[in-house]
Amino acid sequence: MKRGVTIKDIAKKLNMSVSTVSKALNNDVSISALTSERVKALAKQLNYIPNEAARHFKLAKSFTLGLIIPDILDQYYAVAANGVEETAEKNGYNVILTQSHEDEQKEDRIVDVMIRNRVDGVIVSITKNRTDMQPFEKLLSIGIPVVCIGREPKSGQFDYVSSNNHDGAVMATEFLIGKGHRRIAHLMGPAGMRTSQARFEGYKQALANHGIPFRNELTECVDLTRAGTFAAMQRLMRLPEPPTAIVTFKNYVTLDAIDYLKKYYPELVDKVQFTGFGNLPILHHLDHKPLASIEESSFEMGEEAARILFERIGEDGENTERVYRSSQLPCRLVVHDDGE
Amino acid sequence: MKRGVTIKDIAKKLNMSVSTVSKALNNDVSISALTSERVKALAKQLNYIPNEAARHFKLAKSFTLGLIIPDILDQYYAVAANGVEETAEKNGYNVILTQSHEDEQKEDRIVDVMIRNRVDGVIVSITKNRTDMQPFEKLLSIGIPVVCIGREPKSGQFDYVSSNNHDGAVMATEFLIGKGHRRIAHLMGPAGMRTSQARFEGYKQALANHGIPFRNELTECVDLTRAGTFAAMQRLMRLPEPPTAIVTFKNYVTLDAIDYLKKYYPELVDKVQFTGFGNLPILHHLDHKPLASIEESSFEMGEEAARILFERIGEDGENTERVYRSSQLPCRLVVHDDGE
DNA sequence: TTGTACGCGTTATCAG
DNA sequence: CTGATAACGCGTACAA
């Protein structure tokens, strides 16, 4: 790092003290207009660029947010990251984006890096299998606020933002009911995830709302692999009375399920109707697509999480009695019509 | 930021000087084993975490890389970002990931932020329309090395890593020739992009290699919008002799082109064969897909760019006579067979 | 082998 | 309104 122009240089050239220069640059009210002008003019002329590293150090603030997501290639998180980033930028903050790749140990290391770098706050979508929230509790104990997104914290007291999975599942299911379906199956997510449970509850709720009895055999868990979805679909389709519609947990589950039908029950493709979470732009290009998608407001989730985080950062840290927030953003039902 | 444990605290408790502690923690050879042990033990016990902000300031190094890409939702860049990140992590570096959204002014601001934050190096995929490289030349002049990826720098002296677009286009075209096609069209990218030109050249080269005359009317530029692709396809298909195969510039161009056929020439879908750049995982799920895809090694591109950057960072900056590198990573042809 | 002293660039405090 | 000075946490010559 080549040594750049510093306020010291400016002060020297102007025969002023560094403190005056600093204040002028920071628009301190106690500086005369004239002085302020001169300082700023010279600063521009010399191409002065403040050394944030020094500021951070001095102010004991990094003006940086840490963001931990499982996978950047998952649009859901990528979009959420955009929401975080945009909000951060508005507040003059940078974001360090990291991926856990669903690896708990990697997540531990990431948290450590964030502490070392003294980020001012962390937004995290915790790994699927994590059981203890220890590293995040450590962050809190150090005074670095944490906001969870998408995946509910397993324990402890954390702010939490997600889409309203329950209501989204209700919407999806009721949409299919509205289309006249009565035997509606659910390809449920991994049982260990709260998200799966919430969507499952919504599915059952919708059935109940319309007087349709819940049938255990119509719900199958998937592990988010193609093979897992195929196996689940096989069990569903071999039932004495197979479902006529299916509510799915996620994008790729929907696509794999449709692929299964294409392969083994080609006559039923486009007969069995799907509605699921996640709305990929690519759906446009599919011949056999879900009837509708539940679009999760992941951008807004990122925004909201960042907003909450900034509030926490602004707080004094000494309020021992915080109220932790849990906010559920509404989903939207998007119907895929073929007309264009 | 709550004040954490510092080496000063450790020194006090151990009745040593801070410098001893600092050296012990950094495994300085001049420290006795005993002292070193005691320091490290207490450090662990007190949960000491080095303040990187202070180190960065002191060392005039941020151990941070700046990465600027157009859009994180574009898999090509997201994967490249992973390559950068992984290499950075191996070197104990963080990455600040930013998006220009193809907005030149935003890119200018981003560069400014990076300077303020004293990143040690920058990797950038410059915006499509940029004409002057001024901000990046500024980075170089300050002593912050820059490596361009994916998109060739418009001017000046920069290291540059990309996929081998020329050879990739040759592969794509020859693959179609091998399938017996003679009237092969090219949906070319925006004429202003060097990438478009390189692929166009490759396309022509392949034709020449096999004695097929190049026909001007078989190449159409697209602007990467759906409407633009539709218009280009219309012109191609209305030719007296429409093409029997098409080499496309990018993922979504391929998909839109196929959609066009589905809509206006349904009898020709699956007759007109495609091969294009970009291999999206989603292609699996399509009924009508390109015959093959050119997979660009974008992960490796990110890795390579980071590697070069670290070399530059290691250099003394005072070598006025640098040799700038331009490396072209090979592409792979992936044939999409339907069997599974 | 250990300690002393200094400085990195900035801001805050307090005195003038 | 301006200036002198201390301090942030750390690393490093140089002295002991």
Side-chain angles (χ1 to χ4, degrees), chain A residues 242-283:
Chain A
T244 63
I246 305 182
V247 173
T248 55
F249 180 68
K250 203 169 174 173
N251 281 320
Y252 285 91
V253 176
T254 316
L255 298 181
D256 287 335
I258 291 176
D259 280 355
Y260 177 84
L261 289 183
K262 276 202 292 205
K263 195 162 174 186
Y264 297 107
Y265 295 83
E267 73 284 5
L268 289 182
V269 183
D270 295 337
K271 286 288 200 302
V272 178
Q273 298 191 312
F274 288 84
T275 296
F277 280 79
N279 183 20
L280 295 175
I282 196 88
L283 290 178

Side-chain angles (χ1 to χ4, degrees), chain A residues 141-161:
Chain A
S141 77
I142 296 179
I144 301 178
V146 175
V147 177
C148 294
I149 57 175
R151 294 180 184 168
E152 199 169 341
K154 307 287 171 150
S155 67
Q157 295 288 310
F158 295 93
D159 293 306
Y160 172 54
V161 183

Side-chain angles (χ1 to χ4, degrees), chain B residues 35-276:
Chain B
T35 308
S36 190
E37 294 293 317
R38 290 178 60 210
V39 169
K40 284 175 183 168
L42 186 61
K44 184 172 291 178
Q45 188 200 317
L46 293 182
N47 216 332
Y48 166 74
I49 297 173
N51 184 334
E52 293 292 334
R55 284 192 71 224
H56 299 169
F57 170 50
K58 170 69 185 175
L59 298 176
K61 278 196 104 191
S62 63
F63 299 99
T64 299
L65 257 37
L67 176 57
I68 312 175
I69 59 178
D71 184 8
I72 202 189
L73 290 176
D74 186 328
Q75 294 226 1
Y76 176 68
Y77 294 111
V79 170
N82 279 345
V84 172
E85 208 197 31
E86 197 177 297
T87 308
E89 197 195 353
K90 280 183 194 153
N91 288 269
Y93 266 66
N94 292 318
V95 176
I96 294 188
L97 173 59
T98 61
Q99 304 175 73
S100 63
H101 294 297
E102 303 288 8
D103 175 348
E104 212 169 330
Q105 268 126 55
K106 167 130 205 226
E107 197 171 59
D108 292 352
R109 291 198 304 276
I110 290 173
V111 169
D112 210 62
V113 169
M114 300 212 162
I115 297 179
R116 296 168 68 99
N117 285 284
R118 301 296 198 268
V119 296
D120 294 338
V122 168
I123 294 174
V124 59
S125 193
I126 52 180
T127 57
K128 257 197 314 249
N129 315 314
R130 179 170 282 284
T131 48
D132 75 306
M133 293 289 284
Q134 194 240 309
F136 303 104
E137 272 153 6
K138 180 170 175 185
L139 281 168
L140 289 188
S141 77
I142 297 179
I144 300 178
V146 176
V147 177
C148 294
I149 57 173
R151 293 180 185 168
E152 199 168 342
K154 307 287 173 151
S155 66
Q157 295 290 310
F158 295 93
D159 293 306
Y160 171 54
V161 183
S162 73
S163 22
N164 192 325
N165 291 299
H166 179 278
D167 290 6
V170 169
M171 286 167 63
T173 311
E174 292 197 328
F175 173 74
L176 290 172
I177 293 171
K179 290 286 174 189
H181 293 282
R182 287 300 176 267
R183 284 192 70 78
I184 302 175
H186 179 36
L187 284 176
M188 176 181 169
M193 292 174 67
R194 301 258 181 121
T195 306
S196 307
Q197 298 295 343
R199 292 178 184 179
F200 180 44
E201 291 303 325
Y203 159 75
K204 286 193 290 189
Q205 176 75 58
L207 294 181
N209 288 351
H210 295 263
I212 302 174
F214 166 73
R215 303 195 159 278
N216 203 37
E217 69 273 20
L218 284 181
T219 293
E220 285 285 347
C221 272
V222 299
D223 56 2
L224 305 183
T225 67
R226 187 172 173 87
T229 300
F230 269 46
M233 280 298 288
Q234 186 177 74
R235 288 191 294 273
L236 285 179
M237 297 310 291
R238 286 189 180 170
L239 288 175
E241 282 187 86
T244 63
I246 305 180
V247 173
T248 55
F249 180 68
K250 201 170 174 170
N251 281 319
Y252 285 92
V253 175
T254 316
L255 298 181
D256 287 335
I258 292 177
D259 280 354
Y260 176 85
L261 289 183
K262 276 203 294 203
K263 194 161 175 187
Y264 297 107
Y265 296 83
E267 73 283 7
L268 290 182
V269 183
D270 294 336
K271 288 286 201 302
V272 178
Q273 298 190 311
F274 288 84
T275 297

Side-chain angles (χ1 to χ4, degrees), chain A residues 1-2 52 57 60 82 94 99 116-118 141-142 226 256 259 262-263 285 287-288 340, chain B residues 1-2 49 52 57 60 82 94 99 116-117 141-142 226 256 259 262 282 285-288 340:
Chain A
M1 190 157 77
K2 204 191 283 185
E52 294 292 335
F57 170 49
N82 279 345
N94 292 318
Q99 304 175 71
R116 297 167 67 99
N117 284 283
R118 301 296 198 268
S141 77
I142 296 179
R226 187 173 173 87
D256 287 335
D259 280 355
K262 276 202 292 205
K263 195 162 174 186
H285 301 285
D287 290 305
H288 307 290
E340 183 192 354
Chain B
M1 192 158 72
K2 204 193 282 185
I49 297 173
E52 293 292 334
F57 170 50
N82 279 345
N94 292 318
Q99 304 175 73
R116 296 168 68 99
N117 285 284
S141 77
I142 297 179
R226 187 172 173 87
D256 287 335
D259 280 354
K262 276 203 294 203
I282 197 87
H285 301 283
L286 296 176
D287 290 304
H288 308 291
E340 184 192 352

